[in-house]
Amino acid sequence: MTEEIYLTGITTTGTPHIGNYVGAIRPGIAASKDQSKKNFYFLADYHALAKAEDPDRIHQSTLEIAASWLALGLDTDNAVFYRQSDIQEIPHLTWILTSMTAKGLMNRAHSYKAVVQANEEKGNKDPDQGIMMALYSYPILMAADILMFRSTKVPVGRDQKQHVEMTRDIAQRFNHHYGDILVLPEAVIDDNTATLSGLDGRKMSKSYNNTIPLFAEEKKLRKLIMKIKTNSLEPGEPKDPEGSTLYEIYKAFATEDEVREIEKRYADGIAWGEMKQVLFEYINEHIKPAREEYNRLINDPGIVEQALQHGAERARAISAPYLKEILHALGIRKLG
Ligand code: TRP
């Protein structure tokens, strides 16, 4: 049996929040230590361009995301950790794939269609208003990320599943014409990964502006947790853990015994203010050692850069010869 190759991409927009931590970072870090698998993790900074972010934000976000994963113990000896833009073969492969991706396939991308629909709803005459090719071709860049390292498994959220399927379509078409060169990946969707609610009770998300940054300083963390929405039950009144954001977040961090203990306190009518304090103290203790390391890295970004360069070297040892092989198959090779 061939070895499974896992590949995880993280777009460099935004500051990691506790929802990212529970849903993606924590399981990703655990997986990075698994010696039985090959694991690739990368910072998708070219993808960030499709979101038209401010340059300073992209730069800062790249540092914050890389520092977060490193501070939390990503195993960079076992896993390969790199920045997309350091691997020149990726944009190179993107162009190759672009020449064998049907335009009709891209027309069907949910991510593109959602913007077209929004334009239509706004009554815009041009359904493509404001849409850059980077958004339209986003799935091709993603296909290059995946195919470049012969990935067999791609852990993604439901919203990205279609992109992995498109990668298969593109790879299949390539292989049909040029021989069995690209490896068809599969999306891995974990329905058990927790999604957390944010301050206002909606899903924690940068776009709702309701997040708790993973490495917020103690004071800020406390302040944000105090803002989490609750219902109006008084101290002493029994409370239902289901539907309580405080409980949900606590549960994502605490052990089973601790969760059972808190459920008892809910039944006994714990005051919301007290539950907020419990949650703050718990998360703060849990995060503290990694936060110290995170702050050290943020203040000394050269260390982070070095880790990324080390990863890029390892990644390019794979991508450079593979790209040559691909170009050769396409007839792009030396004449004599
Ligand atoms: N598009 C993914 C997201 O928004 C990030 C990403 C870029 C990615 N390239 C990838 C994920 C390759 C998996 C594989 O979440």
Side-chain angles (χ1 to χ4, degrees):
M1 207 192 83
T2 50
E3 192 186 30
E4 296 293 2
I5 299 179
Y6 281 74
L7 177 123
T8 301
I10 315 135
T11 309
T12 54
T13 49
T15 297
H17 55 69
I18 62 173
N20 301 139
Y21 172 68
V22 168
I25 306 177
R26 189 169 61 187
I29 286 177
S32 78
K33 301 182 171 139
D34 183 345
Q35 305 272 349
S36 72
K37 296 184 182 115
K38 261 216 131 352
N39 268 298
F40 291 85
Y41 296 85
F42 72 98
L43 304 163
D45 51 352
Y46 281 144
H47 280 276
L49 292 182
K51 314 221 156 140
E53 289 270 331
D54 158 52
D56 290 338
R57 270 311 293 153
I58 290 186
H59 188 244
Q60 181 63 18
S61 168
T62 303
L63 173 60
E64 289 175 354
I65 293 173
S68 298
W69 285 75
L70 292 172
L72 289 160
L74 182 73
D75 186 339
T76 52
D77 291 324
N78 189 39
V80 185
F81 183 49
Y82 58 96
R83 175 173 43 203
Q84 183 184 38
S85 60
D86 284 332
I87 316 300
Q88 295 149 28
E89 291 77 15
I90 293 173
H92 200 146
L93 181 58
T94 302
W95 182 253
I96 293 167
L97 299 177
T98 300
S99 44
M100 51 201 77
T101 300
K103 177 171 175 284
L105 184 67
M106 295 299 95
N107 287 341
R108 288 193 286 280
H110 303 312
S111 42
Y112 164 66
K113 279 181 16 186
V115 189
V116 171
Q117 197 188 337
N119 276 335
E120 280 164 355
E121 279 163 11
K122 272 187 271 174
N124 273 336
K125 265 208 237 78
D126 178 5
D128 282 330
Q129 164 96 34
I131 297 177
M132 297 296 127
M133 286 306 293
L135 172 73
Y136 189 66
S137 324
Y138 187 102
I140 313 179
L141 177 56
M142 189 158 157
D145 292 330
I146 295 170
L147 298 171
M148 190 82 263
F149 296 99
R150 299 182 179 87
S151 319
T152 57
K153 303 275 181 190
V154 185
V156 282
R158 286 219 162 269
D159 63 319
Q160 300 290 321
K161 184 167 184 260
Q162 190 197 28
H163 294 152
V164 181
E165 280 159 6
M166 290 178 157
T167 302
R168 289 176 69 87
D169 288 348
I170 297 169
Q172 236 154 1
R173 188 188 178 104
F174 181 103
N175 285 353
H176 179 72
H177 288 284
Y178 303 103
D180 210 7
I181 295 177
L182 301 178
V183 175
L184 269 47
E186 254 170 62
V188 181
I189 293 172
D190 184 355
D191 281 319
N192 298 320
T193 50
T195 51
L196 288 191
S197 303
L199 301 177
D200 57 359
R202 288 186 295 174
K203 180 179 183 240
M204 189 179 291
S205 160
K206 179 177 163 251
S207 36
Y208 293 147
N209 202 14
N210 64 355
T211 68
I212 300 175
L214 176 56
F215 293 124
E217 286 306 329
E218 209 164 301
K219 254 172 102 181
K220 172 93 190 286
L221 179 65
R222 186 164 199 288
K223 210 171 124 197
L224 287 172
I225 288 175
M226 294 301 151
K227 274 200 202 159
I228 293 174
K229 199 170 147 200
T230 61
N231 60 26
S232 54
L233 290 176
E234 299 285 338
E237 288 187 79
K239 297 172 175 66
D240 191 357
E242 285 320 309
S244 158
T245 301
L246 293 169
Y247 170 77
E248 187 197 297
I249 298 177
Y250 185 82
K251 195 174 168 195
F253 284 85
T255 66
E256 264 176 51
D257 285 350
E258 289 163 337
V259 171
R260 234 168 286 130
E261 188 55 35
I262 278 296
E263 285 169 2
K264 254 190 253 143
R265 294 182 70 183
Y266 265 67
D268 291 345
I270 187 172
W272 289 130
E274 194 179 335
M275 182 55 204
K276 288 178 174 178
Q277 185 62 27
V278 168
L279 180 63
F280 161 68
E281 280 167 20
Y282 199 96
I283 295 188
N284 192 46
E285 278 311 304
H286 184 89
I287 274 320
K288 209 181 233 169
R291 183 170 55 207
E292 278 166 20
E293 176 61 6
Y294 175 80
N295 287 332
R296 184 179 82 89
L297 294 172
I298 292 289
N299 292 316
D300 200 348
I303 303 175
V304 178
E305 183 58 37
Q306 219 171 14
L308 292 177
Q309 289 307 324
H310 171 67
E313 235 171 81
R314 293 173 68 200
R316 292 201 66 213
I318 299 165
S319 60
Y322 192 31
L323 179 67
K324 265 204 189 132
E325 196 186 315
I326 292 168
L327 285 168
H328 192 274
L330 292 167
I332 298 185
R333 51 184 191 244
K334 293 241 158 51
L335 297 176

